[in-house]
Amino acid sequence: MTSPTKAEGPGSAVALDPEVASTAAETDKGKELVGRSPGQLMWIRFKRDRVGVISACVVVFFFVVGLLAPLIAKLYGKDPYTVFADERPDLFDSAGVPLQPNGGISGEFWFGLEPGNGYDVFTKLLYGIRNSLGISVAVTLATVLTGVLLGVMAGYMGGKVDFAVSRVVDFLLAFPAQLFFIASMPVVVSLFVDPKDETPVYVRVVALIAVQWVLGWMSLARILRGTALSLAGREFIEAARVSGASPWRIIRKEVLPNVVTPILVQSTYMLPAFVTAEAGLSFLGVGLVEPTPDWGQMFSKASTELVMQNDITYMFFPGISMIIFIVAFNLLGDSVRDAFDPKTAR
């Protein structure tokens, strides 16, 4: 038998695959070959994707800004709650519009002042990012945990459990999500606070998380149900059953490690969707309200007649920041999906 690494004759040569050649070279040097886990291969593929790496850096930047918002505001010397229209009336005209051009942007107020109350736009944006991302992360964690638990359980257990979970999913998917959010927010808030009393901020935050969670977990549960259903008949699952392992142990040790990919990919798509949903609720006045800073609330303020006619730059900073964040997170989701699927080429 002719060795594939040797020439077939004088003047002839056999082209070797680069990976084979590299392996042969390492073997010749006496080096021990080390296998790579699927996670390591995914990380290697992800690092080669420049768009994914840049998107990840942008996303991390936003989260760091949100976490460090109080420290940044302290170093900046202002907070998002000071009403400069009362503290510094010389900066505004009789209508409450900043006298300086471009919304009062200056070395003292980096992003200008908000028409009307005169809040500092820079610190309001910092805290708005913090609040919006905090709520969206909480909703994402809650929906992922619920979707994983019910979806995997339904797919693996089958029978009555699968039937019950599937019918609940079908029922909840029939609700128009956005209309349900708008209609149910006042109802959920009224369960905790009398309509005559002022609603505490934490009640609104809990209501926002609860309302989005109720109608947010079904898509992930349906995906994981199908994946777990296909895994239930595999040989390694049958071997675990024969060995006497309990269903919960099989789910925890055998099924869950094999559904990590759809969980991570779907999570990267769900979080930006929840960010826009939360901003939309605040924009419509059923989410966070002043003086609590919020991304959507800044859009709502920018749509008022006072701001639109006198300070078109007010929309620029929250608008550009949200567009950058959403696009970066969606690109990150695509990169994560491609990294887990080596057959995908971009």
Side-chain angles (χ1 to χ4, degrees):
M1 182 179 295
T2 304
S3 173
T5 61
K6 295 181 180 179
E8 295 294 332
S12 64
V14 177
L16 294 180
D17 183 80
E19 292 186 0
V20 176
S22 176
T23 303
E26 290 186 5
T27 304
D28 292 340
K29 294 179 181 179
K31 293 183 179 179
E32 182 181 356
L33 297 178
V34 180
R36 294 191 178 107
S37 66
Q40 291 174 324
L41 293 174
M42 185 278 292
W43 177 242
I44 291 174
R45 287 193 291 268
F46 179 78
K47 289 192 296 183
R48 293 172 181 169
D49 188 347
R50 293 183 179 179
V51 175
V53 173
I54 295 173
S55 300
C57 292
V58 172
V59 169
V60 170
F61 169 78
F62 273 89
F63 277 101
V64 170
V65 166
L67 289 173
L68 300 181
L71 177 60
I72 298 174
K74 185 176 181 180
L75 295 174
Y76 178 59
K78 299 175 184 65
D79 63 72
Y81 306 105
T82 302
V83 181
F84 283 99
D86 297 333
E87 299 285 336
R88 303 273 299 276
D90 56 295
L91 298 176
F92 302 86
D93 61 17
S94 58
V97 178
L99 293 173
Q100 295 189 17
N102 299 320
I105 295 177
S106 63
E108 184 180 5
F109 301 99
W110 294 353
F111 289 180
L113 293 165
E114 180 183 279
N117 293 321
Y119 295 118
D120 179 74
V121 176
F122 178 70
T123 53
K124 189 171 184 178
L125 179 60
L126 290 179
Y127 277 79
I129 292 173
R130 176 187 178 89
N131 293 335
S132 295
L133 292 186
I135 292 173
S136 301
V137 168
V139 176
T140 302
L141 291 176
T143 53
V144 167
L145 290 176
T146 306
V148 169
L149 176 63
L150 296 181
V152 172
M153 184 175 65
Y156 176 77
M157 302 293 288
K160 294 181 179 179
V161 175
D162 184 22
F163 179 83
V165 173
S166 298
R167 297 296 76 78
V168 171
V169 169
D170 293 338
F171 175 74
L172 292 177
L173 284 175
F175 283 85
Q178 295 297 333
L179 294 178
F180 181 83
F181 292 162
I182 298 170
S184 60
M185 269 297 296
V187 176
V188 175
V189 170
S190 65
L191 295 176
F192 300 95
V193 181
D194 189 286
K196 299 178 181 179
D197 299 332
E198 185 177 355
T199 305
V201 176
Y202 76 90
V203 173
R204 289 188 174 274
V205 171
V206 171
L208 280 170
I209 295 173
V211 168
Q212 294 183 85
W213 164 68
V214 168
L215 291 183
W217 58 270
M218 294 85 68
S219 59
L220 179 61
R222 175 168 282 185
I223 292 172
L224 295 182
R225 176 209 174 251
T227 306
L229 195 62
S230 64
L231 290 172
R234 300 285 293 274
E235 293 81 0
F236 66 94
I237 299 293
E238 292 294 339
R241 289 199 192 101
V242 172
S243 67
S246 65
W248 289 111
R249 179 176 175 80
I250 294 175
I251 290 175
R252 189 175 68 254
K253 297 292 185 179
E254 306 294 342
V255 179
L256 284 179
N258 287 280
V259 296
V260 171
T261 299
I263 292 173
L264 288 178
V265 172
Q266 289 300 312
S267 298
T268 56
Y269 289 124
M270 291 167 66
L271 193 145
F274 287 131
V275 169
T276 55
E278 188 276 335
L281 291 174
S282 296
F283 176 84
L284 296 172
V286 294
L288 297 181
V289 296
E290 286 189 346
T292 306
D294 183 82
W295 237 338
Q297 186 191 112
M298 296 186 74
F299 289 120
S300 178
K301 182 71 175 182
S303 65
T304 60
E305 184 177 357
L306 175 65
V307 179
M308 291 184 66
Q309 292 183 352
N310 298 281
D311 184 14
I312 60 175
T313 61
Y314 180 79
M315 174 68 84
F316 178 80
F317 296 107
I320 291 297
S321 61
M322 177 167 283
I323 290 173
I324 292 174
F325 177 80
I326 298 299
V327 171
F329 221 115
N330 286 331
L331 291 176
L332 176 62
D334 292 339
S335 298
V336 171
R337 180 199 60 201
D338 296 342
F340 274 109
D341 186 4
K343 297 179 182 179
T344 303
R346 293 180 62 187

